[in-house]
């Protein structure tokens, strides 16, 4: 709301957590030059807003990719002032106490900001973006080629790959060219029907 003047109902936000992620996803992402971070993001489009909370892949040089442990960061892309960032501790005894006491002081002194009446808006689906896809399966030398074939049938391309082996299974990581989430989900469902496939995960890329 502070950025765009619109109030997005919380139940209208697309929200994904990190429950589906495995340690192999972090390894596969790093092998392809990315890191996975849980990000709340919003952006203005020509006619609406896109907004979601989800794990995404970030280039390893990106500021948000370096945020670890109790630290948080806010990254703003502004039309006039360029890119801005805020970085600091978002958890722990003293940072939490500082935030709570600051709110209490503002309330006691009636310093809370009076915002105009918000305009309610439901966010639009995200714009086309590149995706990370992880396919976990029993050892199968032809699996990569079959995945590549299904990706190409959808009019997309595999831009990069990585693998991580475990005793009984192999994790295959694929970097897929830009598409809508709907198109990517359709490809994922086709891959799910392949033999020996155990689990799949797809994430969007933030670039």
């Amino acid at each position: 709301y502070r950025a765009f003047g619109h109030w997005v109902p919380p139940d209208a936000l697309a929200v994904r957590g990190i429950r589906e992620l495995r340690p192999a996803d972090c390894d596969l992402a790093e092998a392809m030059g990315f890191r996975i971070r849980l990000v709340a993001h919003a952006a203005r489009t020509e006619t609406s807003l896109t907004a979601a909370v989800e794990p995404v892949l970030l280039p390893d040089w990106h500021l948000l990719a370096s945020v670890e442990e109790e630290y948080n960061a806010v990254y703003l892309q502004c039309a006039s002032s360029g890119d801005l960032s805020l970085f600091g501790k978002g958890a722990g005894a003293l940072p939490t106490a500082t935030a709570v006491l600051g709110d209490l002081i503002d309330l006691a002194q009636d310093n809370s900001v009076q915002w105009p009446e918000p305009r309610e808006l439901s966010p639009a689906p995200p714009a086309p973006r590149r995706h990370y896809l992880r396919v976990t399966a029993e050892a199968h030398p032809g699996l990569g080629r079959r995945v590549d074939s299904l990706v190409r049938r959808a009019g997309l391309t595999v831009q990069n790959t990585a693998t991580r082996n475990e005793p009984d299974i192999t994790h295959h990581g694929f970097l897929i060219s830009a598409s809508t989430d709907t198109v990517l989900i359709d490809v994922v469902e086709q891959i799910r029907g392949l033999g020996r496939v155990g689990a799949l995960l797809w994430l969007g890329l933030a670039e």
Side-chain angles (χ1 to χ4, degrees), residues 98-111:
T98 299
V100 172
L101 286 175
D103 289 343
L104 291 174
I105 291 170
D106 285 341
L107 288 171
Q109 297 180 347
D110 196 24
N111 288 334

Side-chain angles (χ1 to χ4, degrees), residues 119-140:
R119 295 166 290 170
E120 188 167 308
L121 180 72
S122 293
R129 56 183 177 171
R130 295 199 292 168
H131 292 87
Y132 159 80
L133 171 64
R134 186 252 297 159
V135 180
T136 298
E138 298 176 18
H140 189 342

Side-chain angles (χ1 to χ4, degrees), residues 17-60:
I18 61 173
R19 186 172 299 171
E20 300 174 86
L21 269 67
R22 298 186 179 186
D25 292 307
C26 297
D27 294 338
L28 293 168
E30 290 194 14
M32 294 188 285
F34 296 88
R35 290 186 177 181
I36 300 174
R37 294 291 182 268
L38 184 64
V39 177
H41 60 86
R44 189 193 305 276
T45 66
E46 291 183 2
T47 59
S48 185
L49 297 176
T50 62
V53 180
E54 59 181 343
V56 298
L57 267 70
L58 293 158
D60 54 15

Side-chain angles (χ1 to χ4, degrees), residues 107-205:
L107 288 171
Q109 297 180 347
D110 196 24
N111 288 334
S112 57
V113 176
Q114 300 300 314
W115 297 97
E117 187 68 23
R119 295 166 290 170
E120 188 167 308
L121 180 72
S122 293
R129 56 183 177 171
R130 295 199 292 168
H131 292 87
Y132 159 80
L133 171 64
R134 186 252 297 159
V135 180
T136 298
E138 298 176 18
H140 189 342
L143 180 61
R145 292 193 300 273
R146 299 183 70 181
V147 171
D148 185 82
S149 176
L150 291 174
V151 169
R152 290 182 179 277
R153 286 184 194 176
L156 309 174
T157 58
V158 174
Q159 298 179 334
N160 200 352
T161 62
T163 59
R164 286 294 181 272
N165 295 312
E166 294 185 11
D168 299 319
I169 57 175
T170 300
H171 303 286
H172 302 266
F174 302 89
L175 186 63
I176 311 296
S177 59
S179 73
T180 63
D181 288 2
T182 302
V183 170
L184 195 281
I185 291 172
D186 183 61
V187 174
V188 168
E189 290 306 311
Q190 295 180 55
I191 295 172
R192 198 182 302 277
L194 297 177
R196 302 184 185 179
V197 171
L200 295 122
L201 173 74
W202 65 270
L203 303 174
L205 268 68

